[in-house]
Amino acid sequence: MAMSEQKIRIGVVAPASRIAPRLAEDVTALAASLYPGRAEIVFHPQCFLSAGHFAGGDAARAGAFLDIANDPGFDALWVARGGYGSNRILPQVTAGLSQAAKTKTYMGYSDAGFLLAALYKAGCRVAHGPIPADLARDGGDAAVARGLRYLVERAADTLEPGLSGRSVAFNLTILSHLIGTPYLPDLTGHTLLIEDVAEHSYRTDRALFHVTSVPELRKLAGLRLGRFSAVPPNDPEFGQDEEAIARHWCAVSGIPFLGHADIGHDADNKVVPFG
């Protein structure tokens, strides 16, 4: 049976910040309209918990993640939204994965990059791509529909159009914080796609210095630059945009600069399967 003909069950968890029940209702309705009888979206109750900044405490978030990841009845785990907090549950999640966890697809971006990295290192199928919370963006219906079309039928037009060979995609700030931890996978021979949001240009410069200085990451096949949006003004003016910064550190490190990528914190964010 073709992938597009199978009934797909997608579990949604919130490893960082919470979502509102109304968002879950709207995403469920969108999925039903696109794939009547073929796609079931299950929002774990943990998505609606609140513990300060987080969607429940660390134990609750890790437990919900493992509930879906280890359940063979789900085909995919979809990260509800970003924010901050996925890194706090990495030890519990990586220690608790069962064999069933490696049979499904995981998708998210931004803060979820912590989990994508660890899951990819563990041999799971992961993708950087749209999330349910994108529904709140301008044009968010198209973003969430793109995510669903990838998870349900692997639609080719959902993919970042310049993918070639092995690729990975990360929020630059998240990737920088993964360096030196046991959760960063071996990216030798991969093309790295990066994006970020609301970071000063000097922070982008500092993070790319860090990433491109790591000997293991100098074995990348190349670097592609996604969108860096909502960049705050700097005083004094930094004088270089993200492309100039990326080209500088690629030249210093010897990592080939391979141009731009259609990813970012926006409704046009395309899907990048890892590997």
Side-chain angles (χ1 to χ4, degrees):
M1 184 180 289
M3 180 79 173
S4 60
E5 297 173 351
Q6 295 176 342
K7 182 170 183 178
I8 303 297
R9 294 188 77 224
I10 302 167
V12 183
V13 298
S17 300
R18 75 186 297 274
I19 60 169
R22 179 58 187 271
L23 176 70
E25 294 167 5
D26 291 345
V27 171
T28 299
L30 179 60
S33 69
L34 291 172
Y35 296 104
R38 288 171 50 205
E40 180 185 4
I41 309 293
V42 178
F43 283 81
H44 195 289
Q46 169 272 326
C47 291
F48 315 116
L49 297 179
S50 181
H53 174 89
F54 306 107
D58 293 348
R61 300 196 320 282
F65 194 95
L66 291 172
D67 284 347
I68 302 297
N70 291 338
D71 187 340
F74 286 98
D75 301 286
L77 186 155
W78 204 5
V79 173
R81 61 159 297 173
Y84 169 72
S86 296
N87 58 307
R88 292 174 60 104
I89 66 172
L90 284 177
Q92 302 96 309
V93 166
T94 53
L97 294 173
S98 71
Q99 196 57 38
K102 297 183 180 180
T103 66
K104 55 180 56 67
T105 300
Y106 302 82
M107 188 161 72
Y109 72 102
S110 191
D111 180 78
F114 285 116
L115 287 160
L116 298 183
L119 290 163
Y120 185 50
K121 185 173 183 177
C124 299
R125 297 192 301 267
V126 304
H128 178 286
I131 52 179
D134 286 329
L135 197 65
R137 298 185 185 278
D138 289 341
D141 283 11
V144 175
R146 185 182 310 116
L148 284 165
R149 292 181 62 238
Y150 175 75
L151 291 173
V152 174
E153 56 180 307
R154 298 294 191 270
D157 63 354
T158 65
L159 302 179
E160 202 286 328
L163 297 179
S164 178
R166 291 182 292 168
S167 296
V168 293
F170 287 101
N171 173 276
L172 174 60
T173 299
I174 300 302
L175 176 61
S176 180
H177 285 293
L178 277 162
I179 292 169
T181 74
Y183 307 108
L184 183 68
D186 181 2
L187 299 182
T188 299
H190 292 66
T191 297
L192 170 65
L193 285 64
I194 55 171
E195 53 82 24
D196 220 323
V197 62
E199 294 288 352
H200 288 84
S201 294
Y202 76 85
R203 290 180 178 268
T204 296
D205 188 73
R206 182 166 60 199
L208 273 171
F209 154 74
H210 187 202
V211 168
T212 60
S213 295
V214 177
E216 291 78 8
L217 291 179
R218 289 189 171 185
K219 300 173 184 177
L220 287 165
L223 182 143
R224 296 178 60 205
L225 190 68
R227 288 178 288 280
F228 282 60
S229 55
V231 178
N234 196 74
D235 183 19
E237 180 65 34
F238 190 72
Q240 296 181 49
D241 63 11
E242 58 272 13
E243 180 173 346
I245 293 167
R247 286 183 178 276
H248 169 79
W249 290 113
C250 281
V252 169
S253 65
I255 298 170
F257 180 77
L258 301 179
H260 291 268
D262 193 6
I263 63 170
H265 274 66
D266 53 45
D268 292 327
N269 188 27
K270 301 303 189 296
V271 177
V272 181
F274 282 28

